[in-house]
Amino acid sequence: MNASPSGSVARSRRRKKLLRHGAVIASLSMWSVFALAPLVWIVMMSFKKAEDIVAYPPTFVFTPTLTNYVEVLSSAKFMAPFVNSLIVTVGSLLVTVVIGLPTAYALARFSFRGRENIAFGILSLRFAPELLIILPLYLLFQKAGLYDSHLGLILAYQLVTLPMLVWMLRSFIEDLPGELEEAVAMDGGTRWTAFRHVLLRLIAPGLGASLMLSFVWAWNSYTLPLVLAGKNTQVITTGIQQYISAQSIDWGPMAAATVVSLIPGILFAVFSLRWIVGGLTAGTVKG
Amino acid sequence: MNNSRKRARAHSITAAVVVLTTAGLLAGCAPSDSTTSSTDVSSFDWKNYSGEKLSILMSEHPLSDAVLDHVSDFEEKTGIDVDIETLTESDYMVKILTELQSGAAGYDVFMTSQPMNYQYAAAGWMEDLQPWVDDDTQTAPDYDFDDFFPSLIEAERWDTTEFDGAGEGGLWAIPANEEGYALFYRKDILEANGVAVPQTIDELIAAAQKLDGTEFDGKTISGFVSRGDKTYPTLNPFSTFAGAYGVQDITDGKATLNSKAGNEAVTKWIELMRTAPEAASTYTWYEAQQDFLAGNSAFYIDADHMAPDFEKEGSGIAGKVGYALPPEGPKGRASSMWVWSLGMNAASTHKGAAWQFIQWATSKELLTDSIANGNLNPTRVSVAESPELSAATEGWGDYNEVWKKTLTDYAEWPYAPSASWTTVGDIWATAIQSALLDKASVKDALDGAATKIDAAIE
C-alpha cells in the first residue's frame, strides 16, 4: 500500500502542505514578535527598578521586582480611574445594546420613510471629529449637571459605540432570510419570540464582534473623557498619565498601570471570542 | 413623492425641536450654583465666604501635591469646600483651554504660566488680581505681597499690548513655583579629566568637546545633552545662549531673531549640541533628563527644579551633580524663566472665595510646607531663605545658592509678550532644529523663520 503511487503523491502533497504551513507559521510568528515587542518592553519595564529602566545600554537581564505593581494596585491614583473606566465602558455597552439592537433590527426589517437617512445619520456620528462637538457638549453637560458624572460619560460614549454596533448588526440581520421569522410566525410565535429564539442566536457572532470593537473604542476613548470627566470620573486614558509629573516621570508604575489596564480588554476579547464561536456553531446546527 | 418628502422634513424638524426643548428643560431643571456670590465684605475674615464651593484645576506638579495634602486645613479655616482636579501637563492645557473658551466658569482657580497668561488675558478670560491684592477687606493682613521675588511679580504683569507692555498693567497670576535654567555638570567626570567648571559659553563648548566620546565608568559619554525638539519649550534651555548674546525675538513688531546676535547664539548652541547624542535633536525635557540621569552626559542645561530628581534615592547620579550658573556670553549671563502660578477665571462666580484660595496656596506657610513635596524653587524670599529649604537641599552642592542667584540676578521672561507667542516660539525652535540637522545653514534657517513669523503676526 505504502509503495503505491497514489500514496507517495499524497505524502508529497502532505509534505508540501506541512512546508507551507510551517512558512506561514514562521512568518506570522516573526510578525507577532515585531508587533508585540513594544508590549513586551512595557511588561519588562513594569518589573524593573527605576535605575534598571533608565540604564543605557538597555538591560534585558535584571532582578524583577513587584514594587511597581504594589504601588499601582494600592493607590487610588490608579485604581479610581480604573474602576471608573470599567463602570463607564460596561455602562455604555449596555446602553448601546439596549438602544442599538432594536435600532438595527428596525433599520433592517421595517421599511419606513427616511430609513436610509436615519441609518446614515447614525453612522455619520462616527465621521464627526470629537473635537468638533466637544465645546458645545461641555457647555451642555455643565448646564445639565452631567459634567463629571458616570451617566454623562456613558451618554457621551454612545457617539463612539452606537454607530458601529447599529451598522454592523443591521447588515448581519439583513443577511438572514426573513423566512426564518416567518417560520416562527407560522408556528404561532410572535415577532419577539422570533427575535429572541432565532435571530438573536444567529447574530450572536456579529453582536460579539461589534461589542468587542465597541469595548476597545470606549476603553481607549481619550478626548471625550478628557473634557467631560472631572475629578470624580477620571478614566484610565488620562489616569495612566498621572505618573508624568512636572520634573520627573515614574516609568515603572506607569508601565505597571499600562499592563493592568490591558487586562479587561484581553478578558473581554477572550470572552466574546467564545461567544462568537458559540454563535457560529449554534448557526451551523440550525442551518 | 415630493409631498411626502416635505412631510418627512417637517417631521424631522419637529423631532429636532422636541430634542432641543428637552435639552433646554433639562438644563433649566438641573441644580446649578450659578448664583453670583457677593464679594461685598466690610473687613477681612477667613470665614467671609464660608459655605461656598470652589473648583480648581491643576497640573501634576509638586505644588499640586502640596495643595492636595493640605487643602483640608484651608477648608477648615474658611468653611469653603474645595474640589481639586489634577491632570498631566498636556491634558491640563487642553482642558483649561476648553473650559475658558466655553466661558462656563467650571473652574474658579487654575494653574497658569506666562505664555498662558498672554493668551488668556488677551482673550479676557482671566481676572486682574491687582485690585484684589490692594483691597484690605479681601487680602489677609499677613499675606505680605512684597515678599515675592520682584522679577516674578514683574513677569506676571502685562498690559495686553501685543509684543509690548511686559511688566506693566494687570497682574494676571500669583507665582507659586519658579524654574530658572542652570548648567548641571558631573563633578566626578570633570575631576577625572581635569576639567574646571566652565564659566563662559566658549569654555563650556571646549570642555564638552574635550569630554565627548571619553570613557567613564565603563561608558562612552557624550559631552553635553539638552532638548532639541522643534517645539517652543526647547527655547527654555537655549534662552541661556540667546540672552547671553542679547537676542530679541521681536523688535517693534518685526522678527529680529535673525540678527547678527541671533546667528551667533544659534551657531554656538549648535556647536555645543554637536557634542550631544545624535537623537538629542528630537529630545524633549524628559528624554534629555533621562539621558543625564542614566549617567551618559557630562553637561546638561535645563530647569533647575530637576535637581530633586537627580538627587532622589535610587538615582545613579545622586551626589555627583554640580550646579552652576548659566554660562556667560558677550552680554553676560541669562536665563529664561517659567513661573507656575495661580490665576482666577474671569467668569468665576465665587471670586472672593477664589482669591482666598489663591492667597492661602501662595502663603508663606503653604510654600514652606510644599518643600516637603519637592517644590524646591519657592517664589517668596522668606521661604527661599528658610531653614526648611536649606535642610531639604543639604548635600546638593551649590544648588541652593545657584537657583537663588539665577532668579535674583538673571532670570526673566526674555520674549515679547503676545497671545500668539507659542506660534513664534515653535517657528524659532524649528529653525534651530533644522540648522542642527544640517537641513539648512544657520543664516538661511533663521531668515526663513523671521519671514514666517512676520507673516504669522501680521
Side-chain angles (χ1 to χ4, degrees):
Chain A
M1 263 309 255
N2 273 352
S4 77
S6 71
S8 82
V9 166
R11 225 178 304 138
S12 86
R13 206 180 282 160
R14 211 178 305 140
R15 203 175 305 137
K16 255 190 201 159
K17 209 174 169 188
L18 269 176
L19 268 175
R20 214 179 307 140
H21 265 276
V24 168
I25 288 171
S27 53
L28 281 179
S29 313
M30 267 161 66
W31 173 250
S32 308
V33 168
F34 176 73
L36 291 177
L39 208 61
V40 172
W41 187 251
I42 291 173
V43 173
M44 272 169 63
M45 216 157 122
S46 70
F47 289 109
K48 281 182 179 180
K49 286 196 213 68
E51 55 263 42
D52 289 328
I53 291 173
V54 295
Y56 184 87
T59 50
F60 286 90
V61 184
F62 55 91
T63 333
T65 166
L66 283 175
T67 40
N68 295 325
Y69 284 96
V70 173
E71 185 180 333
V72 161
L73 296 174
S74 62
S75 89
K77 191 176 180 174
F78 173 76
M79 285 319 282
F82 184 75
V83 172
N84 284 335
S85 263
L86 280 179
I87 295 173
V88 172
T89 306
V90 171
S92 59
L93 287 197
L94 283 177
V95 174
T96 296
V97 169
V98 169
I99 301 174
L101 204 50
T103 312
Y105 182 78
L107 288 172
R109 283 288 187 252
F110 299 131
S111 110
F112 50 92
R113 233 179 284 124
R115 181 169 80 154
E116 288 311 311
N117 288 346
I118 292 175
F120 189 76
I122 292 172
L123 187 66
S124 67
L125 292 176
R126 226 18 236 142
F127 308 149
E130 287 165 6
L131 281 174
L132 199 75
I133 45 140
I134 205 81
L135 206 59
L137 211 55
Y138 178 77
L139 267 172
L140 203 71
F141 271 42
Q142 285 275 4
K143 285 256 162 70
L146 285 170
Y147 172 76
D148 196 14
S149 74
H150 290 114
L151 179 66
L153 282 182
I154 289 172
L155 291 179
Y157 276 25
Q158 298 310 312
L159 289 171
V160 181
T161 54
L162 193 64
M164 178 71 205
L165 187 110
V166 169
W167 270 77
M168 274 183 80
L169 287 186
R170 184 194 182 194
S171 64
F172 263 95
I173 296 171
E174 274 175 346
D175 283 350
L176 296 173
E179 288 82 11
L180 279 174
E181 287 146 86
E182 280 162 20
V184 178
M186 292 288 283
D187 293 342
T190 58
R191 202 178 260 285
W192 170 239
T193 6
F195 178 79
R196 205 157 47 111
H197 292 295
V198 180
L199 213 63
L200 201 56
R201 285 176 191 218
L202 292 176
I203 60 163
L207 189 61
S210 46
L211 278 180
M212 202 157 81
L213 272 175
S214 300
F215 181 92
V216 172
W217 279 345
W219 189 263
N220 292 350
S221 188
Y222 187 79
T223 318
L224 286 173
L226 170 60
V227 177
L228 301 176
K231 183 193 164 205
N232 303 313
T233 51
Q234 188 180 41
V235 297
I236 200 87
T237 36
T238 50
I240 283 181
Q241 296 191 60
Q242 288 180 88
Y243 295 98
I244 304 176
S245 181
Q247 83 245 14
S248 63
I249 298 178
D250 292 332
W251 296 105
M254 189 152 74
T258 308
V259 173
V260 175
S261 70
L262 289 173
I263 293 171
I266 294 171
L267 287 180
F268 193 87
V270 169
F271 170 75
S272 46
L273 260 177
R274 275 198 189 158
W275 204 13
I276 292 171
V277 175
L280 282 176
T281 19
T284 336
V285 173
K286 294 226 181 292
Chain B
M1 190 67 194
N2 216 352
N3 225 353
S4 72
R5 232 184 242 165
K6 261 187 203 158
R7 222 178 300 142
R9 196 169 303 151
H11 275 299
S12 29
I13 291 172
T14 323
V17 169
V18 169
V19 169
L20 285 175
T21 326
T22 322
L25 277 176
L26 261 177
C29 296
S32 82
D33 57 351
S34 58
T35 43
T36 312
S37 82
S38 168
T39 52
D40 197 14
V41 289
S42 54
S43 66
F44 181 82
D45 189 333
W46 283 109
K47 293 277 182 207
N48 273 348
Y49 299 101
S50 182
E52 290 194 24
K53 194 172 179 328
L54 284 177
S55 285
I56 319 274
L57 184 64
M58 298 184 89
S59 166
E60 287 288 333
H61 193 277
L63 173 71
S64 356
D65 294 343
V67 167
L68 283 168
D69 281 354
H70 298 279
V71 72
S72 52
D73 300 345
F74 175 76
E75 291 181 316
E76 214 168 283
K77 188 176 184 169
T78 57
I80 297 169
D81 234 4
V82 184
D83 209 6
I84 301 174
E85 190 182 339
T86 61
L87 286 170
T88 183
E89 196 173 313
S90 52
D91 283 353
Y92 132 91
M93 297 254 189
V94 174
K95 184 141 188 183
I96 192 65
L97 192 62
T98 317
E99 148 71 21
L100 293 174
Q101 268 176 338
S102 77
Y107 297 100
D108 304 286
V109 175
F110 52 90
M111 256 166 92
T112 173
S113 63
Q114 321 89 295
M116 296 166 77
N117 290 352
Y118 300 140
Q119 192 182 359
Y120 305 162
W125 298 334
M126 285 178 105
E127 176 86 0
D128 177 3
L129 298 178
Q130 190 63 52
W132 293 88
V133 173
D134 297 338
D135 189 341
D136 289 343
T137 63
Q138 300 289 353
T139 301
D142 60 350
Y143 183 54
D144 198 2
F145 182 68
D146 296 331
D147 186 32
F148 287 103
F149 282 95
S151 55
L152 295 177
I153 293 298
E154 200 184 308
E156 306 281 15
R157 292 191 199 280
W158 182 42
D159 68 5
T160 70
T161 315
E162 283 285 283
F163 302 107
D164 203 2
E168 294 157 30
L171 176 73
W172 300 107
I174 304 289
N177 168 276
E178 170 271 343
E179 293 170 25
Y181 293 83
L183 172 66
F184 311 126
Y185 59 92
R186 285 282 301 280
K187 291 188 279 194
D188 46 352
I189 298 180
L190 264 61
E191 234 165 70
N193 290 279
V195 173
V197 180
Q199 294 301 317
T200 66
I201 285 176
D202 290 331
E203 281 173 25
L204 172 61
I205 294 171
Q209 284 171 342
K210 184 179 172 191
L211 294 172
D212 190 34
T214 54
E215 292 280 325
F216 187 82
D217 223 3
K219 277 181 193 169
T220 310
I221 55 152
S222 53
F224 178 72
V225 72
S226 195
R227 323 176 194 183
D229 187 53
K230 58 179 180 184
T231 53
Y232 74 85
T234 295
L235 298 178
N236 282 326
F238 169 72
S239 71
T240 55
F241 276 47
Y245 281 87
V247 184
Q248 293 292 323
D249 56 344
I250 311 278
T251 316
D252 300 327
K254 281 269 171 217
T256 46
L257 52 95
N258 58 340
S259 62
K260 188 167 164 279
N263 274 281
E264 277 172 355
V266 174
T267 307
K268 291 284 181 184
W269 178 255
I270 286 173
E271 226 177 292
L272 182 59
M273 282 293 277
R274 296 237 188 266
T275 70
E278 228 169 279
S281 59
T282 57
Y283 279 2
T284 60
W285 68 263
Y286 54 84
E287 284 134 341
Q289 182 199 38
Q290 192 168 319
D291 181 272
F292 192 67
L293 273 173
N296 296 332
S297 299
F299 293 105
Y300 177 23
I301 292 181
D302 214 307
D304 43 20
H305 81 149
M306 283 184 182
D309 222 44
F310 301 157
E311 307 286 355
K312 78 178 176 195
E313 214 185 295
S315 155
I317 58 168
K320 299 174 185 169
V321 182
Y323 302 89
L325 292 171
E328 203 172 337
K331 302 274 179 194
R333 297 185 201 269
S335 161
S336 167
M337 61 159 82
W338 184 273
V339 192
W340 276 123
S341 324
L342 290 172
M344 196 196 295
N345 190 342
S348 166
T349 50
H350 302 282
K351 286 185 180 168
W355 173 239
Q356 285 203 341
F357 178 82
I358 294 176
Q359 281 182 71
W360 169 79
T362 55
S363 65
K364 286 176 194 173
E365 291 72 28
L366 190 88
L367 288 182
T368 308
D369 287 341
S370 74
I371 291 171
N373 295 87
N375 195 21
L376 289 165
N377 294 36
T379 50
R380 283 176 173 273
V381 178
S382 63
V383 183
E385 262 139 34
S386 67
E388 286 88 347
L389 189 69
S390 310
T393 57
E394 212 187 335
W396 294 13
D398 295 335
Y399 171 78
N400 217 355
E401 288 75 47
V402 166
W403 85 263
K404 249 183 286 180
K405 193 157 175 59
T406 308
L407 175 57
T408 44
D409 294 356
Y410 309 114
E412 59 167 354
W413 180 252
Y415 311 112
S418 155
S420 57
W421 184 79
T422 52
T423 313
V424 173
D426 281 346
I427 297 173
W428 195 358
T430 307
I432 298 173
Q433 191 200 45
S434 65
L436 176 60
L437 291 171
D438 285 325
K439 284 195 209 155
S441 69
V442 172
K443 190 177 177 321
D444 288 348
L446 290 178
D447 287 346
T451 315
K452 264 191 215 159
I453 290 170
D454 283 338
I457 63 183
E458 237 168 51

